[in-house]
Amino acid sequence: MAEFHYRSAVDVATRTKNEVVKSTTLGYLAQVLIAQAKYPEAEQALAELHQVCSQLGCSLAAANALYILGKLYLSQGKPRDAEKAFSEAHESFLRTSRHPGLINVSNHDSDMGAANSLCHLGDIYCNQKKYPEAESSFTQAREIYSRLGHEPGVANAWEGQGELYLAQSRYNEAERALTESRKICSRTGGDIELASVLWRLGRVYESQSRVQEAEDAFKDARKLSSSKGDNMIAGHASRFLASLYSKSGRYDEAKESFHHALAAYEQTNDPDSRARTLLGLGAIHCKQNKLPESEEALSEALTIWDSIETNDPDSRARTLLSLGELRCKQNKLPEAEEALSEALKIWDSIETNDPDSRARTLLSLGELRCKQNKLPEAEEALSEALTTWDSIENNDPDSRARTLFRIGALRCKQNKLPEAEDALSEALTIWDSIDNQTEQVAPLLLLSNIYVLQSRHNEERDTLIRLEAELARRNDGDARRAEVLIRLGNHHFSQGVYGESDNCFSLAQAIALSSENFNQEGPALFGLGRSYACQRRFDEAEGCFGGARAAYATIANRRDEARALEYLVEVYILQDKFDEARVACAEARDICKRLGRPMRNICLETRKPPSNLEEMDAVIQSNPSAARNVQDSLRAGVLTRFGYDHLRRGAFKDGEECFRLAQGISPGLEMAHERGVALCGLGMLFLVQKRIDEAEPCFVQSRVEFASIADGIQEATTLDALTMLYNNAGRSDDARRTCTEARSIYFRMGQQMSAACAQSWKRLKSWEK
């Protein structure tokens, strides 16, 4: 109704040529149209108002019309039109101030108008990255406000200058400018203005990694602006607080703050900020692997960008980047490639090129190419991303480290291990320097794999220890931590450090049990059982192998269930629990038959005695008095295998104990084979330690044992070991004798010489020449 009356009044004033009434009515009409969001008609009314006032010589009113028109353009996201309007308004206000004799002129009002126009121009220049022009505008505005004694204006100019310095990463200057503004706002009681300053100060603190101060500033800004009904600042403070939480991994708090921001923006006409909030929310959902929620938020953000006539290409490209990363997670690789390629085109086409975001897009494209197994294309994208980071003076170290990590992972795929190690180590160094522990798990895992492949056991151990400590600190990766502990336990076990392996396996088992993760509980218990068995803690080993068998059965892992049963058989044998061993052996045999794989030989290198419990039953049925000998044979075989396991791990003391126990189980001729194998193992253990005087009688006695039961192959094998011993000791005559004897046995039995015998024979012949 008001619009109709004002339009009618304008028509009457036009017909009667009453320009004064017309100008007044046009001003009211413009206000009504702006309130109704009829922006094109409001623009027309203000342009006409400016023209009428200029004709009347009302220069201040004409300048005010241009100023209001500039604000109207800003609200519609038309920065270039706004810049033109504010520039003209500023000039008009300046002319008015210089000619105080003009009609309706007030020096104070014209100076205020000029300062206000300059502040808006400073904001526009700052957004356009025209930083010198922006700084000049804010400085001039502050000088005018100071001359007028207008403290809120001075605070506003300082705030604008602080925002300008923040955009240029001049954080100390930004903090000084915003602190000045904060002091004035606190003194004058401008709560809404203070909330705006606090929001900007929070961004400065965040950029300086002063996380707690940033959090406090954002919270204060949100609380103050919400209490005063300023939804725009409340939304901004909530959005930046959410971003801060997200960077710290506090995702639930971040989502809550993003939803606060969305609720605040619902009360404003700011689709741009709403889209930015949805972009942040979608990124968090993606990090939490809530992919449908992420897709919904990002798609809505992209829809908003596409609906804004003058949308921000930078933010649209960021949304496409996040969508591309999401599609990658969903394994929708063609859609991911399309989104990332479009984002890259936008970065390349933006006038004020953003190399940082372009590098991020190249990084994501490189990750995508790795997934597609397009390794040359991946290498090209990742190398270009790294080159781009290196060209940026104040680059983001975290993103550079991520790029190096991906290059390291790519080099691993290409089996370029030294280059992979260099890239991963550099990434870890960067993350250490910025105290970012969160990202270090994946590169540490890759590094430990590299060390395994290169047999660098100490470095593998140190890396696994560091990795386990990081996972324990984070307290959010039980499955990964249990996996690392199992690997660390296996490492300690392989080195014969049983106390450490026990600790690792026990902790892994406890973690897996608490989360009912049978995939981890089985390997943890199995490793613990092996460690206990090597320490001759057979009762505890029995419990572990039984528990491992149960865990594997729960997840239908038949292969490892059979493996646990086979080890359980050995532990039963060593405890003289032959009935239990027979049952476990039968169960293992049934599983192995179903899987189509042979059973593991329970007794190491046994030839003549029974090699498993099935054969043992047959012997006992044909000759019941032989039961004790058969059981002793099995026990000696298991102990000998343990001895060889210790020997391979360098646990010489434990190995020697097992070999001696196996050797001394039974003195009769029936156990000659077992004694021979145990003595040969004991001799090898002494030979490795260069205890030649102790090794020689072991080999000699082993040869005697095998000869007593006419086991020619084992006798020849022992002679091979003696030949090696004599060669190492420089006793060439003895070496020639034993090598000749071994060769004769091989020929007599129609067997090909062993590689060791052939090599020794060749060496002896070369010496004779």
Side-chain angles (χ1 to χ4, degrees), residues 109-387:
D109 290 345
S110 57
D111 285 345
M112 281 292 295
N116 291 340
S117 299
L118 282 167
C119 274
H120 283 297
L121 279 171
D123 290 335
I124 292 170
Y125 291 143
C126 186
N127 289 331
Q128 294 173 338
K129 296 184 172 58
K130 297 177 179 178
Y131 298 131
E133 294 91 330
E135 187 164 6
S136 174
S137 296
F138 287 127
T139 302
Q140 290 180 61
R142 192 175 71 251
E143 289 171 353
I144 295 172
Y145 287 133
S146 297
R147 189 173 68 246
L148 295 173
H150 191 267
E151 285 200 312
V154 175
N156 186 42
W158 274 124
E159 182 182 358
Q161 203 147 359
E163 177 72 27
L164 167 67
Y165 293 143
L166 178 59
Q168 295 174 283
S169 302
R170 295 160 62 180
Y171 302 125
N172 291 334
E173 293 165 278
E175 184 178 358
R176 281 196 295 272
L178 291 169
T179 301
E180 288 294 329
S181 180
R182 181 182 187 174
K183 288 177 184 176
I184 297 171
C185 291
S186 299
R187 188 167 63 245
T188 59
D191 288 343
I192 292 177
E193 292 78 8
L194 179 59
S196 177
V197 174
L198 285 168
W199 164 58
R200 288 180 165 84
L201 263 176
R203 290 163 58 203
V204 172
Y205 295 146
E206 183 182 2
S207 300
Q208 294 174 317
S209 300
R210 294 156 63 181
V211 178
Q212 189 57 54
E213 290 172 270
E215 183 178 346
D216 293 342
F218 289 140
K219 283 181 176 178
D220 289 345
R222 182 172 66 183
K223 182 179 178 181
L224 199 56
S225 55
S226 297
S227 69
K228 296 298 178 180
D230 189 333
N231 291 305
M232 185 67 77
I233 295 300
H236 291 345
S238 295
R239 175 159 61 90
F240 278 85
L241 182 60
S243 177
L244 184 72
Y245 286 148
S246 177
K247 289 174 185 175
S248 307
R250 297 159 64 181
Y251 298 131
D252 290 335
E253 293 169 277
K255 284 192 292 187
E256 185 182 355
S257 283
F258 274 132
H259 284 298
H260 279 311
L262 286 173
Y265 289 138
E266 285 288 346
Q267 310 302 316
T268 67
N269 180 33
D270 189 0
D272 180 272
S273 293
R274 178 174 171 77
R276 290 174 192 270
T277 306
L278 287 164
L279 171 58
L281 188 60
I284 284 185
H285 284 316
C286 193
K287 285 178 182 176
Q288 293 186 306
N289 220 29
K290 296 181 178 179
L291 304 189
E293 294 91 332
S294 176
E295 184 170 9
E296 182 182 353
L298 293 173
S299 298
E300 187 179 347
L302 193 62
T303 301
I304 292 173
W305 294 126
D306 290 339
S307 69
I308 301 174
E309 185 179 347
T310 56
N311 66 48
D312 174 18
D314 177 88
S315 296
R316 188 175 187 279
R318 289 179 192 279
T319 309
L320 285 165
L321 172 57
S322 292
L323 265 176
E325 290 171 341
L326 170 66
R327 301 295 189 216
C328 224
K329 273 197 170 187
Q330 294 172 316
N331 214 29
K332 298 177 179 178
L333 303 188
E335 295 92 328
E337 187 171 3
E338 182 181 350
L340 292 171
S341 298
E342 187 178 349
L344 192 60
K345 284 180 184 175
I346 292 174
W347 300 128
D348 289 339
S349 66
I350 291 176
E351 229 174 79
T352 55
N353 187 25
D354 184 351
D356 181 271
S357 298
R358 187 175 184 277
R360 290 172 194 268
T361 311
L362 285 164
L363 169 59
S364 295
L365 267 175
E367 292 171 345
L368 171 68
R369 304 291 190 216
C370 280
K371 271 198 166 188
Q372 294 173 317
N373 213 29
K374 297 177 179 178
L375 302 189
E377 294 90 334
E379 185 171 1
E380 182 182 353
L382 292 171
S383 298
E384 190 176 350
L386 189 61
T387 302

Side-chain angles (χ1 to χ4, degrees), residues 696 703 719 722-723 726 731-743 764:
E696 183 179 0
R703 187 247 178 119
L719 285 165
L722 266 172
T723 302
Y726 292 142
R731 294 162 60 180
S732 56
D733 290 340
D734 289 329
R736 186 180 296 105
R737 173 176 54 78
T738 53
C739 186
T740 302
E741 290 176 8
R743 189 166 176 268
L764 289 167

